[in-house]
Amino acid sequence: MLAFILRRLAQGLLVLVGVACTVFLLFNVLPGDPAALLAGQRTDLATKAAITADLGLDQPLPTRLAGYLNDISPLGLHARDSASRARYGGLTLLPLGQQALVLKTPYLRRSFQSNKDVLSILLDYFPGTMWLALAAMVIASLGGVAFGVAAALRPQSVLDRTLVTTSVFGISVPSFVAAIAIAVTFGFYWSHWTGLSLTGQLYETDPFTGKSHLVLRNLLLPAVALGIRPLAIITQLTRSSMLDVLSQDYIRTARAKGLSRTATVLHHALRNALNPVVTAVSGWLASLMAGAFFIEYIFNWKGLGTVTLRAVENLDFPVVMGATLFVAALFVLINIVVDVLYAVLDPRVKIS
């Protein structure tokens, strides 16, 4: 098992290195002057030259790439001076003359717009995306399993055909289109009936007391918009799996022994039919975190999508690059956890 985990970690590390190199090379050929963004338009050439040197923009591209990989790596070689300690922090593992091998938090550079540390910006916005993705996954899982079971219990009925047709429509419609329709319908035209608004945050501050309080209703519309596509897929997957299980001999044997239809479905059929559904749900979570970007922008939700798209508009490349690496790391981490869980449940996975 240890060798299996180490192999998956090594593969994930290679993926992250490839993503980091691709992102760095892509954003270093795009137009834009980071020194001008940091210094402002009304500044002298000497200030711009100093900022250019501080960012390393006067160095060759391979040197800048090596420096970027050194910054984002948890293990890095850095100068043993006060400026480096203030920038990178961390724990010195091995002094090497004027430099040292340092164990540190990955340094994703600083924002061109706010000059704040990019990692701190992303960690500030990450909880919004995480709760949105989890809420969407709960809605999709519960709704998808319920609809799939209902369709499988009445095959070729009006209910079955309606649910199948609706699920095909849910898979076909892009999430951002569904988000716009849901926001306008339930958050604008019908807002006096639903009590929901176009925009809102998970925590709102009382203007009189200054205290923050949880507002779960603001999570409903963006979570439903984000969860429509996985809900439709889980509905079809559950229906197909249930139809297969209900046709097995042990189900007919259970009914022949006098077990009620409800007990047969809940205790025998559904338990076995949910195996592929659990696999799909575990793989969807990371995808929902990445897919939440446009949903957050439409609902003005405080999350990684909002801060990233605003950074794109402002040519704030460190934030965009950091967000890309952050999401890629989430994908890799969740996939590794899922692979390990598969290996625990099914030892054959480790062999393949």
Side-chain angles (χ1 to χ4, degrees):
M1 176 60 73
L2 180 60
F4 174 79
I5 295 175
L6 292 176
R7 185 167 69 250
R8 287 291 187 267
L9 288 174
Q11 293 171 350
L13 181 61
L14 290 176
V15 170
L16 290 178
V17 171
V19 171
C21 293
T22 303
V23 167
F24 179 85
L25 295 174
L26 175 63
F27 283 97
N28 274 267
V29 299
L30 292 177
D33 188 357
L37 289 172
L38 283 175
Q41 297 300 322
R42 298 180 180 179
T43 187
D44 56 273
L45 295 177
T47 303
K48 287 186 177 181
I51 294 175
T52 300
D54 182 62
L55 295 175
L57 299 177
D58 55 344
Q59 298 176 355
L61 188 61
T63 304
R64 288 154 55 190
L65 175 59
Y68 182 70
L69 294 177
N70 188 50
D71 283 349
I72 66 175
S73 172
L75 284 175
L77 280 174
H78 299 293
R80 300 175 63 187
D81 53 29
S82 57
S84 295
R85 284 193 294 269
R87 175 178 293 182
Y88 303 106
L91 176 66
T92 300
L93 299 179
L94 181 63
L96 299 171
Q98 298 296 321
Q99 293 186 320
L101 182 64
V102 179
L103 177 65
K104 62 181 184 0
T105 303
Y107 178 61
L108 301 178
R109 306 287 174 88
R110 305 188 76 84
S111 167
F112 289 161
Q113 293 292 320
S114 63
N115 201 32
K116 293 181 180 179
D117 184 74
V118 170
L119 183 58
S120 65
I121 295 175
L122 297 179
L123 291 177
D124 184 39
Y125 282 82
F126 172 66
T129 299
M130 180 188 69
W131 289 117
L132 177 58
L134 288 175
M137 198 71 258
V138 169
I139 292 173
S141 301
L142 297 180
V145 170
F147 292 150
V149 170
L153 292 178
R154 297 174 178 81
Q156 304 304 320
S157 65
V158 175
L159 176 63
D160 180 34
R161 294 178 186 275
T162 302
L163 290 174
V164 170
T165 303
T166 305
S167 64
V168 171
F169 182 75
I171 295 174
S172 305
V173 176
S175 296
F176 65 90
V177 175
I180 294 173
I182 290 173
V184 172
T185 303
F186 297 98
F188 182 71
Y189 289 115
W190 294 352
S191 60
H192 56 286
W193 290 332
T194 63
L196 304 173
S197 59
L198 282 171
T199 60
Q201 305 302 326
L202 189 58
Y203 287 92
E204 293 185 350
T205 303
D206 191 304
F208 299 102
T209 63
K211 295 181 179 180
S212 297
H213 57 280
L214 183 66
V215 187
L216 286 176
R217 69 173 182 273
N218 291 338
L219 182 62
L220 182 59
L221 292 184
V224 170
L226 184 60
I228 283 180
R229 182 176 173 83
L231 186 150
I233 293 176
I234 292 173
T235 297
Q236 292 208 359
L237 188 61
T238 304
R239 175 185 179 274
S240 176
S241 183
M242 278 292 294
L243 287 175
D244 181 63
V245 170
L246 289 173
S247 65
Q248 299 297 318
D249 291 337
Y250 69 89
I251 298 295
R252 288 192 289 267
T253 302
R255 291 302 306 275
K257 288 183 176 180
L259 199 64
S260 66
R261 180 182 176 87
T262 302
T264 303
V265 171
L266 294 180
H267 296 288
H268 295 281
L270 185 59
R271 179 180 298 179
N272 292 290
L274 285 182
N275 288 334
V277 177
V278 172
T279 303
V281 169
S282 61
W284 265 100
L285 183 58
S287 300
L288 286 178
M289 287 190 178
F293 275 40
F294 288 104
I295 304 296
E296 292 174 3
Y297 192 76
I298 292 170
F299 289 95
N300 195 29
W301 185 261
K302 183 181 178 181
L304 292 177
T306 301
V307 70
T308 303
L309 292 177
R310 287 176 181 171
V312 171
E313 293 175 350
N314 297 321
L315 300 180
D316 198 349
F317 295 153
V319 175
V320 182
M321 295 165 65
T324 305
L325 287 176
F326 193 87
V327 173
L330 287 176
F331 264 94
V332 170
L333 181 61
I334 292 176
N335 285 332
I336 289 175
V337 172
V338 171
D339 287 344
V340 172
L341 290 177
Y342 287 168
V344 172
L345 297 175
D346 188 354
R348 294 174 298 177
V349 175
K350 292 184 288 186
I351 300 176
S352 61

